[in-house]
Amino acid sequence: MPRHSGRAADQLRPIRITRSFTRHAEGSVLIAYGDTQVLCTASVEERGPAWKKDGGWVTAEYGMLPRATHTRGRREAAQGKQSGRTQEIQRLIGRSLRAVVDLSALAGYTITVDCDVLQADGGTRTASITGAYVALVDAVAAMRRKNQIKTNPIHGQVAAVSVGIHAGSPVLDLDYAEDSGCECDMNVVMNEAGHFIEVQGTAEGHAFRRDELNQLLDYAAKGIGELLAAQREALAG
Amino acid sequence: MPRHSGRAADQLRPIRITRSFTRHAEGSVLIAYGDTQVLCTASVEERGPAWKKDGGWVTAEYGMLPRATHTRGRREAAQGKQSGRTQEIQRLIGRSLRAVVDLSALAGYTITVDCDVLQADGGTRTASITGAYVALVDAVAAMRRKNQIKTNPIHGQVAAVSVGIHAGSPVLDLDYAEDSGCECDMNVVMNEAGHFIEVQGTAEGHAFRRDELNQLLDYAAKGIGELLAAQREALAG
Amino acid sequence: MPRHSGRAADQLRPIRITRSFTRHAEGSVLIAYGDTQVLCTASVEERGPAWKKDGGWVTAEYGMLPRATHTRGRREAAQGKQSGRTQEIQRLIGRSLRAVVDLSALAGYTITVDCDVLQADGGTRTASITGAYVALVDAVAAMRRKNQIKTNPIHGQVAAVSVGIHAGSPVLDLDYAEDSGCECDMNVVMNEAGHFIEVQGTAEGHAFRRDELNQLLDYAAKGIGELLAAQREALAG
Amino acid sequence: MPRHSGRAADQLRPIRITRSFTRHAEGSVLIAYGDTQVLCTASVEERGPAWKKDGGWVTAEYGMLPRATHTRGRREAAQGKQSGRTQEIQRLIGRSLRAVVDLSALAGYTITVDCDVLQADGGTRTASITGAYVALVDAVAAMRRKNQIKTNPIHGQVAAVSVGIHAGSPVLDLDYAEDSGCECDMNVVMNEAGHFIEVQGTAEGHAFRRDELNQLLDYAAKGIGELLAAQREALAG
Amino acid sequence: MPRHSGRAADQLRPIRITRSFTRHAEGSVLIAYGDTQVLCTASVEERGPAWKKDGGWVTAEYGMLPRATHTRGRREAAQGKQSGRTQEIQRLIGRSLRAVVDLSALAGYTITVDCDVLQADGGTRTASITGAYVALVDAVAAMRRKNQIKTNPIHGQVAAVSVGIHAGSPVLDLDYAEDSGCECDMNVVMNEAGHFIEVQGTAEGHAFRRDELNQLLDYAAKGIGELLAAQREALAG
Amino acid sequence: MPRHSGRAADQLRPIRITRSFTRHAEGSVLIAYGDTQVLCTASVEERGPAWKKDGGWVTAEYGMLPRATHTRGRREAAQGKQSGRTQEIQRLIGRSLRAVVDLSALAGYTITVDCDVLQADGGTRTASITGAYVALVDAVAAMRRKNQIKTNPIHGQVAAVSVGIHAGSPVLDLDYAEDSGCECDMNVVMNEAGHFIEVQGTAEGHAFRRDELNQLLDYAAKGIGELLAAQREALAG
């Protein structure tokens, strides 16, 4: 059964990475996975983490503009708290970035990457990770230009994509329509060596078999390979 | 004393109004007053206000992405509340829009205009009002296409600009550098007849004289005339 | 059309200012604009503002007893937050007071003026400002008696009044009945030189013309002149 | 050892009860136990309790103006929550009032008594109860004048006082200085038959013996007898 | 009229005190008053109280598992605040423990006793106090083994029980069925000398007479004597 | 390298499942994975979910007693919010249970499973899921005895375990010491057919290879098989 978008089962949506999207942040990246658009800004602050004596810190916050989605969601600031989903996502982004950073080389600094979804069409958390990495690289480059740090704390590359089983078949990079009708989906975060940083699979409709899991991981590995290439191309530009 | 931007005392920054900036909202406008960029989305919901038996409602919410500014501000959703400043601004935007809307013609509907600042360089509240009006017009047009309402509830046009006294001289449309060093500033909201909807003047440095007030209002009237024209041009496009 | 109270269009309600209303505060003033009664206490604390290295600070908080009004309002402490209106008012009072204070002369001290409305009949925010000024003067006098400060940090006098257009005519110092039926109203804060510290006009019914604005400002200037005199008389008492 | 005020061990401070202190509330009473002053307003609302099918409800809320005390306390509305102490006190006031009210005769109505401390000098919770009773009587009288209820729901009279052991001796109606240096104190609420509605004794310094308890209860009974008389006199006025 | 459980009017439910119920806490006690079961853990932390220069601190927190009760209650953590009842109880437990502790001998340390109700059948606050004391003793013993303190800060013994008037007769140690149908109840906290630390009596149905109060206190004294013995036996075990 | 506990790499800790641990809940299970002890209670309420027209709902809440852990954690109810970790875990438990429930057969009812950790030694979330399933089965049986539902809504069996790479080797069911020093860990939820309901792997130290992932999944499948057997045995008991 073909995908409604005409994409092949293992085909990403068009990926666009725009650096320096806004002026003030040390790193500012607009990333698009098709109609999903996330603004990722990396901010450098001269303060270490309060709860740790040594080293620096990299953290992330995630938000969605109220009308990024098909129907308006309530503004979390007005509700007075972040949803469990929001917190889960920003913890995931933070862990994924820290997996490729040597925090001791950032001693005395905190980098906060804000991922704000301007338009949502599925895959906002994986697009956030992929875009946040590019913003982080730009922020670290700015720190080195200012001699704030001596060595490059980034020792790897990280990108993410979703995979899932839709209408009985594994597919790569689900959009909102596919995601809503999906029996199970998995968010996969990998590094440039093809190793796993995070694997989060959830069966909403029916449980998935070991062979399905394997197929999904194959698709994810292929997609992430292309996303890592897109990051490198954007950073070279 | 010339302005650091080279603008004349009564000259606006370049104004850009981009409609249909995102896909989902009934009205979606990116407005720029120079480097200040605000995304204004108008969302139509089929519910009247809970606290009023008859008629519809138009309201606004305002937010600033954490790194829209020179240094990162804390995310209000993470802090668990909106600041007094945020609430003051969103109340101002809502009142300004309602001043040109016949709420009884919107019976059964609420339109929420979200004004989210992507990049800040002074004047975010006035840019929000001017952009929100255009998003509101687009949302109302969408309602009429769907036959949700029979008559046009919008009976006027509204735009806003800031004026202030900088380095001893009145100036129009202050950017961040001017605003920070401003002795007093005033936000003015007017309609297409040149009448006042809101006048909010605050003397931070020294109090202003009646003749200074008059000069500021003259500048505001000139600037708002141009902004109303920019709105009409965008809506005609 | 005569006012329901029989007042002339440019006539204030009876103004009463009672100093030393309660015992503990360094300044404690009960101010009445007719049936509106606000208790303003100024408290001196030996701590500078956390967010500023030098100088002292003057700030204000505002509250309304739940049954100060015609029908009981919810207690903000029980609701767990201050309304946007409350925050807007207390920010206004604080700014108005700081406009006549040299903060550097208060170094190491914070003065908090609490304005609590015991009974409301329109104009609570303007009565608060006028009363808060008197409480502030008393608190500063107490500081000087204790040799906490060497010079008088207060370099001006400030008072406030509301004006509005009711039943088509401009009127001074609106009571609750007039305020509820008002097409537009304006809160004006001025100093003893007759210069403006704050001008906040809002058109709720219809927008106001430039000539109406001018008339309202004339009425405000007259009323504030009388309020400044009442403050001086109370302080001389 | 004589009391610092010169009062006898079993002597109340001067009690003043002023009815109709503010205009809007159905019952509005300013009560003073010496320098402790509490404004008690009783508000009638036409709504039964949400959590109970039948009958009406009587409840209380308690607050202290920030500078009612010797040093300024933080405003609970600004802190975003009521302290445990505040909640404990308002629950006590509500229970004490309900002990003399037939709730079924109030069906369809809720009476909320707000007790706001304008000036504190010890005994604010007991003064609140004594004053709240008078405000409640006035509110019920107003309801009967409007024919909202047919029978008098109040079937008893209630008043309260504190007692404690200070400098080794039992004393009645402690002021702030006595309360601060008190080894143990007890708040006692009684009705007109001399029966107990609440007894809350707390040993802060050392535990109290059974004979001390008996002496304290004797003093409380004497003081409450006088307070009940003062209520009757005020209501007759 | 006999009690539904067959107990005599002055008979406690079966009391069980299990020490070392969990592994990590310095003191961990499961206490049962019949079907009421509370887990009391005492935790030693090397930090003095923030608001006091000298000495240590002993405090308590109280919670109830959502389904400790007949019908599920809402989880306070999910609601975002502790109820007034919870705060009242944990303040009571803390005061009761501090009444037998010399805080200066705990200088530099805070002991927090958490009382979490696993199953509720009336009397949870009094069981908490009795169990918390045993946990506190164990925690202090652990501190002495580690040479954190030199002298024993505990100078007394404390236990608590409820008494009330049920079906017209005084009874000791009410279970949930008795408590629900109780006209008045009283929580009594006493030390090993038979002196009172807290007495909290509340008349929900009708006020109680002085002779009833005396009878209730006699029953409480008897019950607390047995509880103190049970504590000693457990600590000796 | 042997495990500090002496367990084989693919060996579970001793598993104990105690049903009817407390009295009130429809299902009440204490589950132990070694020293990790979680009380799981399932509560049936006669209300459907507010946000869904048809069918019933199964949800979970998770909490940890403050001193379940080595050092005391802050009580979430006192902090006024649940941590991101808590919300993430309770969402996981809820999804896992719903994966084996036909919600339409529960129409009109909500079952809430509370998982409260009494003692923590690693693996609290997986123990919660395994215990919650047993509590859910008991609650559903209670519903059927009361004829609240006609058919059994539970169509599968679910259990969970953690796996991870410790000191370079894959191990099953990590305790706290292993978990703290773990390079990567994975929580796996499976049904009785051996299919995956959730897979959540996180590399904290270094990313894991595909072959490591496969080995971890093999261990998880073995452990979950034994846990499913333990559940069946407990339910048969």
Side-chain angles (χ1 to χ4, degrees):
Chain A
M1 177 179 157
R3 300 174 79 169
H4 76 100
S5 58
R7 280 191 282 153
D10 64 352
Q11 189 181 349
L12 294 174
R13 289 175 283 180
I15 307 300
R16 289 182 305 280
I17 300 177
T18 310
R19 289 164 66 203
S20 303
F21 187 74
T22 53
R23 300 172 62 100
H24 301 309
E26 284 75 19
S28 173
V29 167
L30 183 76
I31 188 162
Y33 279 29
D35 277 336
T36 289
Q37 295 188 22
V38 186
L39 175 54
C40 308
T41 60
S43 297
V44 177
E45 290 168 291
E46 197 169 342
R47 58 175 175 86
W51 44 271
K52 213 175 71 147
K53 256 191 312 210
D54 304 314
W57 193 241
V58 173
T59 187
E61 295 194 4
Y62 171 91
M64 207 181 255
L65 296 195
R67 194 55 193 281
T69 43
H70 285 74
T71 57
R72 186 176 183 273
R74 291 188 58 191
R75 184 178 291 266
E76 291 190 327
Q79 289 190 281
K81 65 173 185 174
Q82 295 181 300
S83 71
R85 177 186 173 275
T86 291
Q87 291 182 65
E88 205 167 311
I89 293 174
Q90 63 195 14
R91 285 156 55 92
L92 169 66
I93 301 169
R95 283 197 310 269
S96 298
L97 295 175
R98 287 191 297 273
V100 295
V101 173
D102 172 10
L103 294 173
S104 64
L106 273 180
Y109 291 94
T110 294
I111 303 179
T112 303
V113 185
D114 288 286
C115 298
D116 285 278
V117 180
L118 304 188
Q119 189 172 278
D121 189 37
T124 63
R125 81 186 69 188
T126 50
S128 293
I129 292 167
T130 304
Y133 172 77
V134 179
L136 179 66
V137 169
D138 277 341
V140 162
M143 293 177 80
R144 298 198 68 182
R145 281 194 303 273
K146 295 187 205 166
N147 285 319
Q148 294 175 317
I149 47 175
K150 292 190 186 140
T151 58
N152 187 352
I154 302 181
H155 57 65
Q157 191 182 345
V158 60
V161 80
S162 72
V163 285
I165 294 177
H166 182 256
S169 305
V171 286
L172 173 68
D173 187 22
L174 294 82
D175 62 24
Y176 177 77
E178 289 171 328
D179 193 41
S180 310
C182 183
E183 288 115 39
C184 76
D185 81 311
M186 187 176 290
N187 293 295
V188 182
V189 186
M190 295 176 84
N191 66 14
E192 80 288 355
H195 298 174
F196 297 99
I197 288 171
E198 294 268 343
V199 176
Q200 297 197 336
T202 296
E204 297 183 8
H206 74 100
F208 48 101
R209 299 186 312 270
R210 182 73 174 264
D211 63 304
E212 288 171 326
L213 173 67
N214 284 331
Q215 173 89 72
L216 291 175
L217 293 176
D218 289 344
Y219 278 14
K222 172 181 180 294
I224 288 174
E226 294 169 20
L227 289 161
L228 293 163
Q231 288 175 327
R232 285 189 297 264
E233 188 179 348
L235 285 165
Chain B
M1 177 178 156
R3 301 174 78 170
H4 77 100
S5 58
R7 280 193 280 154
D10 64 351
Q11 188 181 349
L12 294 175
R13 289 175 284 181
I15 306 299
R16 290 182 305 280
I17 300 176
T18 309
R19 290 163 66 203
S20 302
F21 187 75
T22 54
R23 302 171 62 98
H24 302 310
E26 285 74 19
S28 173
V29 167
L30 184 75
I31 188 161
Y33 279 27
D35 276 337
T36 289
Q37 295 188 23
V38 186
L39 174 54
C40 308
T41 60
S43 296
V44 177
E45 289 169 291
E46 197 169 342
R47 57 175 176 85
W51 44 272
K52 211 174 71 145
K53 256 190 313 207
D54 303 314
W57 192 240
V58 173
T59 187
E61 295 194 3
Y62 172 92
M64 207 181 256
L65 296 194
R67 195 54 194 279
T69 42
H70 285 74
T71 56
R72 186 176 183 273
R74 290 188 58 190
R75 185 178 291 267
E76 291 190 327
Q79 290 190 279
K81 65 174 183 172
Q82 295 180 302
S83 70
R85 178 186 174 275
T86 292
Q87 291 181 67
E88 205 167 310
I89 293 175
Q90 62 194 13
R91 284 157 54 93
L92 169 66
I93 302 170
R95 282 198 310 269
S96 298
L97 296 175
R98 287 192 297 275
V100 296
V101 173
D102 172 9
L103 294 173
S104 64
L106 273 180
Y109 291 93
T110 294
I111 302 179
T112 303
V113 185
D114 289 287
C115 298
D116 285 278
V117 180
L118 303 189
Q119 190 171 277
D121 189 36
T124 64
R125 79 186 71 187
T126 50
S128 292
I129 292 168
T130 304
Y133 173 77
V134 179
L136 180 67
V137 169
D138 277 341
V140 163
M143 293 177 81
R144 298 198 70 183
R145 282 194 302 274
K146 293 185 204 166
N147 285 318
Q148 294 176 317
I149 47 174
K150 292 192 185 137
T151 58
N152 188 351
I154 302 181
H155 57 67
Q157 192 182 343
V158 59
V161 80
S162 71
V163 285
I165 294 178
H166 183 255
S169 305
V171 286
L172 174 67
D173 187 23
L174 294 81
D175 62 25
Y176 177 76
E178 290 171 325
D179 194 41
S180 309
C182 183
E183 289 114 38
C184 76
D185 79 312
M186 188 176 291
N187 293 294
V188 182
V189 186
M190 295 177 85
N191 67 14
E192 81 289 354
H195 297 176
F196 297 100
I197 289 170
E198 294 267 344
V199 177
Q200 297 198 336
T202 297
E204 297 184 8
H206 74 100
F208 46 102
R209 299 186 310 270
R210 183 74 173 263
D211 62 304
E212 288 172 327
L213 173 68
N214 283 332
Q215 172 90 72
L216 292 175
L217 292 177
D218 289 344
Y219 279 14
K222 172 181 180 294
I224 288 175
E226 294 169 20
L227 290 161
L228 293 163
Q231 287 175 329
R232 285 189 296 265
E233 189 179 346
L235 285 165
Chain C
M1 178 180 156
R3 299 174 80 169
H4 77 100
S5 57
R7 280 192 281 153
D10 63 352
Q11 188 181 349
L12 293 176
R13 290 176 284 181
I15 306 299
R16 289 182 305 281
I17 300 177
T18 309
R19 289 163 67 202
S20 301
F21 187 75
T22 54
R23 300 172 63 99
H24 301 310
E26 285 73 21
S28 173
V29 168
L30 184 75
I31 189 162
Y33 278 27
D35 276 338
T36 288
Q37 295 187 22
V38 186
L39 175 53
C40 307
T41 60
S43 298
V44 177
E45 290 169 292
E46 196 169 342
R47 59 177 174 82
W51 44 271
K52 213 175 70 146
K53 257 190 310 206
D54 304 313
W57 193 240
V58 173
T59 186
E61 295 196 3
Y62 171 92
M64 207 182 255
L65 296 195
R67 193 56 193 281
T69 43
H70 285 75
T71 57
R72 185 175 184 274
R74 291 188 59 190
R75 185 179 291 268
E76 291 189 328
Q79 289 191 281
K81 64 174 186 174
Q82 295 180 300
S83 71
R85 178 186 173 275
T86 290
Q87 292 182 65
E88 206 167 310
I89 293 175
Q90 63 195 13
R91 285 156 55 92
L92 170 65
I93 301 169
R95 283 197 311 268
S96 297
L97 295 175
R98 287 192 297 275
V100 296
V101 174
D102 171 10
L103 294 173
S104 65
L106 274 178
Y109 291 94
T110 294
I111 302 179
T112 303
V113 186
D114 288 287
C115 298
D116 285 278
V117 180
L118 303 188
Q119 189 171 277
D121 189 36
T124 64
R125 81 186 69 187
T126 50
S128 293
I129 292 167
T130 303
Y133 173 76
V134 179
L136 180 66
V137 169
D138 277 342
V140 163
M143 293 177 81
R144 296 198 71 182
R145 283 194 301 274
K146 294 187 204 166
N147 284 318
Q148 294 175 317
I149 47 175
K150 290 188 187 144
T151 57
N152 187 352
I154 303 182
H155 57 66
Q157 190 182 344
V158 60
V161 79
S162 71
V163 285
I165 294 177
H166 182 255
S169 305
V171 286
L172 173 68
D173 187 24
L174 293 81
D175 63 23
Y176 177 77
E178 289 172 327
D179 194 42
S180 310
C182 184
E183 288 116 37
C184 76
D185 80 312
M186 188 177 291
N187 294 295
V188 181
V189 186
M190 295 176 85
N191 66 14
E192 80 288 355
H195 297 175
F196 297 99
I197 288 170
E198 293 269 343
V199 177
Q200 297 199 336
T202 296
E204 297 183 9
H206 74 101
F208 47 102
R209 299 186 310 271
R210 183 73 174 263
D211 62 306
E212 289 172 325
L213 172 68
N214 284 331
Q215 172 89 73
L216 291 174
L217 293 177
D218 290 344
Y219 278 14
K222 172 182 180 294
I224 287 175
E226 295 169 20
L227 290 161
L228 292 164
Q231 287 175 329
R232 284 188 298 262
E233 188 179 348
L235 285 165
Chain D
M1 177 178 155
R3 300 174 80 170
H4 77 100
S5 58
R7 280 192 281 154
D10 64 351
Q11 189 181 346
L12 294 175
R13 289 175 284 181
I15 306 299
R16 289 183 306 280
I17 300 177
T18 309
R19 289 163 67 204
S20 302
F21 187 76
T22 53
R23 302 171 60 98
H24 302 310
E26 284 74 21
S28 173
V29 168
L30 184 76
I31 188 161
Y33 280 26
D35 276 339
T36 289
Q37 295 186 23
V38 186
L39 175 53
C40 308
T41 59
S43 298
V44 178
E45 290 169 291
E46 196 169 342
R47 57 176 176 83
W51 44 271
K52 211 174 72 144
K53 256 191 311 206
D54 302 314
W57 192 240
V58 173
T59 187
E61 295 195 3
Y62 172 91
M64 206 182 256
L65 295 195
R67 193 56 192 281
T69 43
H70 285 74
T71 56
R72 185 174 184 275
R74 291 188 58 190
R75 186 178 289 269
E76 291 190 327
Q79 289 191 279
K81 65 173 183 173
Q82 295 180 300
S83 70
R85 178 186 173 275
T86 291
Q87 291 181 67
E88 206 167 309
I89 292 175
Q90 63 194 12
R91 284 157 55 92
L92 169 66
I93 302 169
R95 283 198 309 268
S96 298
L97 297 175
R98 287 192 297 274
V100 295
V101 173
D102 172 9
L103 294 173
S104 64
L106 273 179
Y109 291 94
T110 293
I111 302 180
T112 303
V113 185
D114 288 287
C115 298
D116 285 278
V117 180
L118 303 189
Q119 190 171 276
D121 189 36
T124 63
R125 80 186 70 189
T126 51
S128 293
I129 292 168
T130 304
Y133 173 77
V134 179
L136 180 67
V137 170
D138 276 342
V140 163
M143 292 176 81
R144 297 197 70 183
R145 283 195 301 275
K146 294 187 205 166
N147 285 318
Q148 293 175 318
I149 48 175
K150 291 190 186 137
T151 59
N152 187 352
I154 302 182
H155 57 66
Q157 192 182 344
V158 60
V161 79
S162 70
V163 285
I165 294 178
H166 182 254
S169 305
V171 286
L172 174 67
D173 187 23
L174 294 80
D175 63 22
Y176 178 77
E178 291 171 325
D179 194 41
S180 310
C182 184
E183 288 114 39
C184 75
D185 80 311
M186 188 176 292
N187 294 295
V188 181
V189 186
M190 295 177 86
N191 66 15
E192 79 289 355
H195 297 175
F196 297 100
I197 289 170
E198 293 269 343
V199 177
Q200 297 198 336
T202 297
E204 297 184 9
H206 72 100
F208 47 103
R209 300 186 309 272
R210 183 73 173 264
D211 62 305
E212 288 172 326
L213 173 68
N214 284 331
Q215 174 88 73
L216 291 175
L217 293 177
D218 289 344
Y219 278 14
K222 172 182 180 292
I224 288 175
E226 294 169 21
L227 289 161
L228 293 163
Q231 287 176 328
R232 285 189 298 263
E233 189 180 347
L235 285 164
Chain E
M1 178 179 155
R3 300 175 79 171
H4 77 99
S5 58
R7 280 192 281 154
D10 64 352
Q11 189 181 347
L12 293 175
R13 289 175 285 180
I15 306 299
R16 289 183 306 280
I17 300 177
T18 310
R19 289 164 66 205
S20 303
F21 187 75
T22 54
R23 301 171 62 98
H24 302 309
E26 285 74 20
S28 173
V29 168
L30 184 75
I31 188 161
Y33 279 27
D35 276 339
T36 288
Q37 295 187 24
V38 186
L39 175 54
C40 308
T41 59
S43 298
V44 178
E45 290 169 290
E46 197 170 341
R47 58 175 175 86
W51 44 271
K52 214 175 70 144
K53 256 190 312 205
D54 303 314
W57 193 240
V58 173
T59 187
E61 295 195 4
Y62 171 92
M64 207 182 255
L65 296 195
R67 194 55 193 281
T69 43
H70 285 74
T71 56
R72 184 175 184 275
R74 291 187 58 189
R75 184 178 292 267
E76 291 190 328
Q79 289 190 279
K81 65 174 183 173
Q82 295 180 301
S83 71
R85 177 186 174 276
T86 291
Q87 291 182 66
E88 206 168 310
I89 293 174
Q90 62 195 13
R91 284 156 55 92
L92 170 66
I93 301 169
R95 284 197 310 268
S96 297
L97 296 175
R98 286 192 298 272
V100 296
V101 174
D102 172 9
L103 295 173
S104 65
L106 273 179
Y109 290 94
T110 294
I111 303 180
T112 304
V113 186
D114 288 287
C115 298
D116 285 278
V117 180
L118 303 189
Q119 190 171 277
D121 189 36
T124 63
R125 80 186 70 187
T126 50
S128 293
I129 291 167
T130 304
Y133 173 77
V134 179
L136 180 67
V137 170
D138 277 342
V140 162
M143 293 177 81
R144 297 197 70 182
R145 283 194 302 274
K146 293 186 206 168
N147 285 319
Q148 293 176 316
I149 48 176
K150 292 190 185 142
T151 58
N152 187 352
I154 302 181
H155 57 65
Q157 190 182 345
V158 60
V161 80
S162 71
V163 284
I165 295 178
H166 183 254
S169 305
V171 286
L172 173 68
D173 187 23
L174 294 81
D175 62 23
Y176 178 77
E178 290 171 326
D179 194 42
S180 309
C182 184
E183 288 115 39
C184 75
D185 80 311
M186 188 176 292
N187 294 296
V188 182
V189 186
M190 295 177 84
N191 66 14
E192 79 290 354
H195 297 175
F196 297 100
I197 289 171
E198 293 268 342
V199 177
Q200 297 199 336
T202 297
E204 297 183 8
H206 73 101
F208 47 103
R209 300 186 309 271
R210 183 74 174 262
D211 63 305
E212 288 172 326
L213 173 67
N214 284 331
Q215 172 89 73
L216 291 174
L217 294 177
D218 289 343
Y219 278 15
K222 172 182 181 293
I224 288 175
E226 294 169 21
L227 290 161
L228 292 163
Q231 287 175 329
R232 285 188 297 264
E233 188 179 347
L235 285 165
Chain F
M1 176 179 159
R3 300 174 79 168
H4 76 98
S5 57
R7 279 191 282 153
D10 65 350
Q11 190 182 348
L12 293 175
R13 288 175 284 182
I15 306 299
R16 290 182 306 280
I17 300 177
T18 309
R19 289 163 65 203
S20 302
F21 187 74
T22 53
R23 300 171 62 99
H24 302 308
E26 284 75 19
S28 173
V29 168
L30 184 76
I31 189 161
Y33 279 29
D35 277 336
T36 289
Q37 295 188 21
V38 186
L39 175 54
C40 308
T41 59
S43 297
V44 177
E45 290 169 291
E46 197 169 342
R47 58 175 176 85
W51 44 271
K52 212 175 71 146
K53 258 192 312 210
D54 304 314
W57 192 241
V58 173
T59 186
E61 294 194 3
Y62 172 91
M64 207 181 256
L65 295 194
R67 195 56 194 280
T69 43
H70 286 73
T71 57
R72 185 175 184 272
R74 291 187 58 190
R75 185 178 291 267
E76 291 190 328
Q79 288 191 281
K81 64 174 186 172
Q82 296 180 300
S83 70
R85 178 186 173 274
T86 291
Q87 291 182 66
E88 205 167 311
I89 292 175
Q90 63 195 12
R91 284 156 55 92
L92 169 66
I93 301 169
R95 283 197 310 268
S96 297
L97 295 175
R98 288 191 296 274
V100 296
V101 174
D102 172 10
L103 294 173
S104 65
L106 274 179
Y109 291 93
T110 293
I111 302 179
T112 304
V113 186
D114 288 287
C115 297
D116 285 277
V117 180
L118 304 188
Q119 189 171 277
D121 188 37
T124 63
R125 79 186 71 188
T126 51
S128 293
I129 291 167
T130 304
Y133 173 77
V134 179
L136 180 67
V137 169
D138 277 342
V140 162
M143 294 177 80
R144 297 199 70 183
R145 283 194 301 274
K146 295 186 203 166
N147 285 318
Q148 294 176 317
I149 48 175
K150 292 191 185 138
T151 59
N152 186 352
I154 302 181
H155 57 65
Q157 192 182 344
V158 60
V161 79
S162 71
V163 285
I165 294 176
H166 182 255
S169 304
V171 286
L172 174 67
D173 187 23
L174 293 82
D175 62 25
Y176 177 77
E178 290 171 327
D179 194 40
S180 310
C182 184
E183 288 115 39
C184 76
D185 80 311
M186 188 176 290
N187 294 294
V188 181
V189 186
M190 294 177 85
N191 67 14
E192 80 289 354
H195 297 175
F196 297 100
I197 289 170
E198 292 269 342
V199 176
Q200 297 198 336
T202 297
E204 297 183 8
H206 73 99
F208 47 104
R209 299 186 310 272
R210 182 72 173 264
D211 62 304
E212 288 172 325
L213 172 68
N214 284 331
Q215 172 90 74
L216 291 174
L217 293 177
D218 289 344
Y219 278 13
K222 173 182 179 294
I224 288 175
E226 294 169 21
L227 290 161
L228 293 163
Q231 287 175 328
R232 284 188 298 262
E233 189 179 347
L235 286 165

